[in-house]
């Protein structure tokens, strides 16, 4: 049963797409100065502190104790495994275009698994999902290369895709409603516990403390996680998982536009065509079924 969305909810997809796409800026500015898992551990710690202070100051309600474990499990899949997998895959040499293409097949896998939580996908939506992934492929076409690919990097990217997909559905099914402030404390604490041992074992924890690093970390903590994850959680709570994840098709397009504006990267006609195709695909997926 669907209820009429509030006016504020209508703006959330645009906010989510912009923030998610800005992850490119974080990678551009932050990763040259810290190894990926080390960077993510600091990011998780920053989010924990930020959200804990916010939750205590605003007296945010904590979930019931029995809900902590499902919330933590969803967080490990959607944060630790997804971010860790993608960032490590790129660090191992996977081209950004290939990583983006793999990660953005999530809406299709979410649709395939959707019946497990009672979601039905209609014919036009399947067409939209197909158009969306074609649009993503066109946007990242000039960045797709087999150079640098390895079995390890592909396995990490596929793990990240699987974890994010299952994590989204798991959260929708088992813990659809919780305060985003206290919920993020639980999820990022669990993600830190899982990620820290790997960072200590596999990395040197070397950090070059530059203004660019601090800027990337601040954006990661306060915008990408603090705002972006909160918006994602609210969208998952109020919408069907497939429709929510379909907005990710537009992330590479917005990222490409950001790269063109901020870094002077070439924006090809193929990429522009891909943006239009992806937009058409998302429109088909989110349009109410008749």
């Amino acid at each position: 049963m669907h209820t009429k969305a509030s006016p504020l909810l209508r703006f959330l997809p645009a906010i989510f797409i912009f923030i998610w796409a800005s992850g490119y800026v974080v990678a551009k500015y932050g990763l040259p100065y810290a190894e990926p898992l080390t960077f993510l551990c600091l990011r998780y710690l920053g989010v924990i502190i930020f959200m804990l202070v916010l939750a205590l100051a605003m007296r945010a309600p904590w979930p019931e104790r029995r809900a902590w474990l499902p919330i933590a499990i969803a967080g490990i899949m959607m944060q630790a495994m997804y971010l860790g997998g993608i960032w490590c895959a790129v660090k191992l040499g996977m081209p950004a275009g290939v990583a983006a293409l793999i990660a953005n097949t999530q809406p299709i896998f979410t649709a395939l698994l959707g019946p497990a939580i009672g979601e039905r996908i209609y014919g036009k939506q399947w067409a939209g999902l197909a158009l969306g992934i074609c649009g993503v492929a066109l946007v990242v076409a000039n960045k797709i290369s087999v150079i640098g690919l390895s079995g390890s990097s592909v396995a990490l990217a596929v793990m990240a895709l699987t974890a994010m997909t299952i994590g989204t559905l798991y959260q929708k099914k088992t813990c659809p409603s919780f305060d985003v402030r206290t919920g993020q404390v639980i999820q990022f604490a669990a993600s830190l516990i899982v990620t820290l041992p790997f960072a200590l074992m596999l990395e040197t924890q070397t950090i070059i403390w530059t203004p660019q690093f601090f800027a990337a970390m601040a954006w990661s903590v306060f915008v990408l996680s603090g705002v972006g994850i909160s918006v994602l959680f609210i969208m998952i709570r109020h919408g069907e998982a497939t429709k929510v994840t379909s907005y990710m098709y537009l992330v590479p397009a917005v990222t490409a536009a950001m790269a063109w504006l901020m870094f002077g990267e070439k924006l090809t006609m193929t990429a522009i065509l891909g943006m239009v195709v992806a937009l058409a695909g998302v429109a088909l997926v989110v349009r109410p079924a008749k």
Side-chain angles (χ1 to χ4, degrees), residues 52 55 59-72 171 174-187 233 237:
L52 182 59
R59 298 183 180 180
W62 290 85
E64 295 182 0
R65 290 288 180 179
R66 62 184 179 181
W68 282 42
L69 182 58
I71 292 173
Q171 179 164 304
T174 65
C175 41
S177 180
F178 57 85
D179 187 274
V180 295
R181 294 157 295 188
T182 53
Q184 284 198 65
V185 172
I186 297 170
Q187 291 201 336
F233 286 176
R237 182 182 304 168

Side-chain angles (χ1 to χ4, degrees), residues 209-279:
W209 304 95
T210 65
Q212 292 91 337
F213 172 81
F214 282 110
M217 183 58 66
W219 187 268
S220 295
V221 171
F222 298 112
V223 181
L224 277 174
S225 294
V227 179
I229 297 298
S230 297
V231 169
L232 176 61
F233 286 176
I234 294 171
M235 289 169 61
I236 291 173
R237 182 182 304 168
H238 291 277
E240 296 175 3
T242 300
K243 290 183 179 180
V244 171
T245 57
S246 72
Y247 290 114
M248 292 183 178
Y249 281 150
L250 300 178
V251 170
V254 177
T255 297
M258 285 183 175
W260 173 64
L261 288 170
M262 299 177 67
F263 306 118
E265 294 189 7
K266 187 177 181 180
L267 189 60
T268 65
M269 289 303 299
T270 301
I272 295 173
L273 175 61
M275 295 176 184
V276 175
V277 173
L279 183 61

Side-chain angles (χ1 to χ4, degrees), residues 54-117:
L54 197 63
L56 293 176
M58 302 180 70
R59 298 183 180 180
W62 290 85
E64 295 182 0
R65 290 288 180 179
R66 62 184 179 181
W68 282 42
L69 182 58
I71 292 173
I73 291 173
I76 289 170
M77 288 190 285
M78 297 173 68
Q79 306 300 332
M81 296 180 69
Y82 173 70
L83 291 174
I86 290 294
W87 285 36
C88 287
V90 173
K91 186 70 174 181
L92 288 177
M94 175 174 283
V98 176
L101 190 58
I102 292 175
N104 281 278
T105 58
Q106 185 195 346
I108 293 176
F109 283 96
T110 302
L112 289 172
L113 297 175
I117 62 170

Side-chain angles (χ1 to χ4, degrees), residues 2-13:
H2 298 278
T3 58
K4 187 177 180 180
S6 69
L8 179 60
L9 290 176
R10 296 177 182 178
F11 292 100
L12 291 185

